[in-house]
Amino acid sequence: MTQAPATPRAGRRQHDREIVALAVPAFGALVAEPLFVMVDSAIVGHLGTAQLAGLGVASALLTTAVSVFVFLAYATTAAVARRVGAGDLGAAIRQGMDGIWLALLLGAAVIVVVLPTAPALVELFGASETAAPYATTYLRISAIGIPAMLVVLAATGVLRGLQNTKTPLYVAVGGFVANGALNAGLVYGVGLGIAGSAWGTVLAQCGMAAVYLTVVVHGARRHGASLRPDAAGIRASAQAGVPLLVRTLSLRAILMIATAVAARLGDADIAAHQIILSLWSLLAFTLDAIAIAGQAIIGRYLGADDPQGARDACRRMVEWGIAAGVALAFLVVISRPLFLPLFTSDGVVKDTALPALLMVALSQPICGVVFVLDGVLMGAGDGPYLAWAMVLTLAVFAPVALLVPALGGGLTALWGAMTLMMTVRMLTLWLRARSGRWIVTGATR
């Protein structure tokens, strides 16, 4: 059983050490992930506009598909961390293997769906006649690597649950370097064009999955955990993931509605919205790193039958979230004149984005609390509540956002609606955290 520190100050220091040890490497790994798409874009962009447009459509489809299954990382982290807290590393790794087997099954299902429907999916996303063939080629080849992508998600969850975020960082950096080298070699050296970019990414993802599997298999053998698929365990992993899937789909719907509303406001507004959304996503990586630490730490305390330790860790992480949010808000405010010229020289777009960026800055302390409590409740395995809370948030946000054009509001009003959305999330999560109903101890929830 995890023992609480003797004094409040000692407790804060212990929690701070745990948070930093897990969050800093997690942040590095999170930042490395979007760099894959950036490298692909930089290399393919020199092939031509049609190729780059095709890559844009295919990448949007792939990102959507993979993000839907992010529960493979979240649910696995919580389940593995509980068993680590209970002192049963063999069962922890066995639980992780169930998540990895589920990832392989889901990846195979995605391949079966995507390969024959790739042209229709590309058309549905509005690709032009010139870009569509390139998008279809990239999507079909990349689909082959989806099982590896999902294995990476699940295995990342295993290692996070084992309180190890350094290995995912090393693998992400190695994958990024390999992806860049393979893309450049296959696109220009071998002359495969956009197909070479897709194959380079597939090979990099497969290499990452192989490294993760090697680490997990080594741990399984060391602790006597079975590597064979277990139907009951896979089914339990899937059941734990369903509420988180509902949560993720609801969040994706919110972001899609916001983009659709921005598009209705005009070209300058949608251009400014995309710039702001990219910054918002970057800020989210910082806060999500603390949330990842929360998933691993809270799961471990609950598995160790230490509810007070879980409460104390939750309180300290909320303080970290608020502090990080305030710091990010300050950075957004002072960097506005420098940030916008990196993306556009259009004065109208800049003028549209500036006040909306202030709204983003004001929301960062709220976002800090939301991300942390989201991670805490995920670590506690409180998925059903997270699903309900996000559906409620979607129900509040959608009509408010859709009223923005009707009432003559602009982009700043839309981001005011986004801030309202985050406020609703904060209230629902805070009420749950305050109630203590998420505190269920033991190796399983």
Side-chain angles (χ1 to χ4, degrees):
M1 176 175 173
T2 303
Q3 296 296 321
T7 66
R9 180 174 295 180
R12 287 195 296 272
R13 286 199 298 267
Q14 175 181 317
H15 293 313
D16 289 347
R17 286 193 297 268
E18 290 178 336
I19 293 167
V20 170
L22 292 172
V24 172
F27 174 72
L30 288 169
V31 170
E33 290 173 8
L35 293 179
F36 272 75
V37 177
M38 291 180 63
V39 168
D40 289 4
S41 298
I43 293 174
V44 171
H46 291 287
L47 294 174
T49 301
Q51 288 91 332
L52 184 58
L55 172 65
V57 172
S59 294
L61 283 161
L62 289 166
T63 301
T64 300
V66 174
S67 67
V68 165
F69 297 114
V70 73
F71 68 83
L72 288 167
Y74 294 158
T76 303
T77 297
V80 171
R82 276 184 175 269
R83 285 163 174 78
V84 169
D88 192 345
L89 290 178
I93 296 174
R94 173 65 260 178
Q95 178 72 44
M97 283 304 306
D98 291 336
I100 290 173
W101 280 112
L102 176 62
L104 287 169
L105 291 173
L106 291 173
V110 171
I111 289 178
V112 171
V113 172
V114 171
L115 286 182
T117 62
L121 291 171
V122 166
E123 183 179 355
L124 181 65
F125 264 59
S128 66
E129 290 185 3
T130 54
Y134 297 111
T136 301
T137 296
Y138 191 94
L139 182 59
R140 277 181 166 157
I141 295 172
S142 296
I144 299 171
I146 285 180
M149 295 181 193
L150 299 189
V151 166
V152 167
L153 282 177
T156 299
V158 176
L159 294 182
R160 288 173 181 171
L162 293 170
Q163 318 295 297
N164 176 1
T165 56
K166 289 183 179 179
T167 298
L169 171 60
Y170 300 148
V171 175
V173 172
F176 168 70
V177 173
N179 180 62
L182 287 166
N183 268 259
L186 293 175
V187 172
Y188 297 113
V190 182
L192 294 181
I194 195 170
S197 178
W199 280 116
T201 301
V202 167
L203 291 173
Q205 290 285 354
C206 288
M208 292 170 67
V211 172
Y212 273 123
L213 288 174
T214 300
V215 172
V216 174
V217 168
H218 178 72
R221 288 175 176 168
R222 186 168 66 248
H223 295 286
S226 173
L227 297 173
R228 294 180 179 179
D230 176 65
I234 294 172
R235 187 164 52 250
S237 294
Q239 289 171 346
V242 168
L244 296 180
L245 175 61
V246 172
R247 168 200 168 276
T248 300
L249 291 175
S250 299
L251 180 57
R252 295 294 301 183
I254 287 170
L255 297 177
M256 289 175 65
I257 290 171
T259 299
V261 170
R264 292 176 61 187
L265 296 175
D267 290 346
D269 293 88
I270 185 61
H273 175 75
Q274 289 303 115
I275 293 172
I276 294 170
L277 190 60
S278 67
L279 174 63
W280 194 76
S281 299
L282 178 61
L283 298 174
F285 284 133
T286 303
L287 300 174
D288 203 27
I290 305 175
I292 287 170
Q295 293 172 29
I297 293 170
I298 294 297
R300 192 189 75 233
Y301 273 113
L302 294 177
D305 196 23
D306 187 358
Q308 188 57 49
R311 288 190 187 93
D312 292 342
C314 174
R315 186 180 304 110
R316 189 57 177 162
M317 280 184 283
V318 169
E319 293 171 356
W320 269 76
I322 294 172
V326 171
L328 292 176
F330 177 73
L331 288 175
V332 171
V333 171
I334 65 172
S335 66
R336 285 186 306 154
L338 302 174
F339 173 74
L340 289 174
L342 295 176
F343 290 86
T344 181
S345 58
D346 190 318
V348 176
V349 174
K350 290 180 183 178
D351 291 342
T352 302
L354 277 172
L357 277 174
L358 280 178
M359 189 65 68
V360 171
L362 289 173
S363 70
Q364 287 310 297
I366 298 172
C367 293
V369 176
V370 168
F371 275 80
V372 166
L373 291 181
D374 208 38
V376 166
L377 297 184
M378 282 185 190
D382 204 11
Y385 182 85
L386 289 171
W388 173 87
M390 190 61 80
V391 170
L392 174 64
T393 303
L394 172 60
V396 172
F397 171 78
V400 174
L402 294 173
L403 279 174
V404 168
L407 297 177
L411 189 65
T412 303
L414 175 60
W415 277 92
M418 290 286 285
T419 301
L420 171 65
M421 178 269 294
M422 294 303 291
T423 302
V424 172
R425 288 188 69 189
M426 182 181 70
L427 289 174
T428 57
L429 297 175
W430 176 77
L431 287 172
R432 186 64 167 183
R434 186 170 178 269
S435 73
R437 294 179 182 174
W438 55 278
I439 299 176
V440 179
T441 60
T444 59
R445 183 178 172 88

